[in-house]
Amino acid sequence: MRDMRIIIAAGRRRQTKADQALLGERLDDIHEVCRGRNTILIPAILPDGVVAMTHRLADKRGCMMEFFPFDYLKHPENGVELSNQKVIDHGADLLLALPDVPADGPSHETWDMVRRALGAGIETRIYPEACHE
């Protein structure tokens, strides 16, 4: 049985304990449905806290993680887009996206990942509700 590959993308203000709990609940639900499949979590590299949050989620659930590092200094103008496309090109089954709410900022990186995932036919779940500690 093939591994379940899940991309985690979150806005700069969507990395709170409440947001991590929300993602944890969704991952637990997915785990129930995907019994017998390994789950691989793939963090969007930006913003920085997404990697740490994904790591905590993976550790708690015994999931594997996969990283696709990117050299943003070589591509200062479009590094986010190239990095997101690199993640998409490696394939995934699902994107869990937590964009910032409009009052907190535009969340360009997260919405770019959403557009790319939808364009690639990756199931995409967006959790726009604000979660604050």
Side-chain angles (χ1 to χ4, degrees):
M1 191 175 272
R2 197 171 68 73
D3 294 337
M4 176 71 158
R5 299 171 55 79
I6 303 171
I7 301 169
I8 306 289
R12 295 184 190 286
R13 298 206 181 359
R14 294 300 305 276
Q15 300 168 43
T16 66
K17 289 179 183 177
D19 291 316
Q20 184 173 318
L22 171 71
L23 282 175
E25 290 170 10
R26 299 305 170 261
L27 287 171
D28 291 343
D29 294 343
I30 293 163
H31 242 57
E32 280 295 312
V33 174
C34 299
R35 287 195 186 275
R37 293 173 72 181
N38 290 325
T39 302
I40 300 172
L41 301 182
I42 306 163
I45 300 301
L46 287 177
D48 299 332
V50 174
V51 174
M53 183 169 65
T54 304
H55 196 343
R56 290 188 297 272
L57 290 163
D59 281 353
K60 186 171 182 180
R61 286 158 183 81
C63 299
M64 296 179 283
M65 285 186 65
E66 194 168 320
F67 296 94
F68 299 103
F70 192 81
D71 187 352
Y72 293 94
L73 296 178
K74 288 185 180 178
H75 306 278
E77 293 180 16
N78 64 345
V80 169
E81 293 84 0
L82 293 171
S83 174
N84 283 348
Q85 190 60 50
K86 184 177 180 180
V87 171
I88 295 296
D89 289 345
H90 280 84
D93 301 291
L94 177 63
L95 165 65
L96 300 180
L98 285 82
D100 291 328
V101 294
D104 288 335
S107 212
H108 296 297
E109 297 96 344
T110 306
W111 287 114
D112 179 73
M113 182 65 84
V114 167
R115 283 189 294 278
R116 290 172 188 280
L118 290 170
I122 296 170
E123 180 183 347
T124 300
R125 299 180 189 176
I126 302 168
Y127 303 101
E129 62 268 16
C131 296
H132 298 285
E133 291 181 27

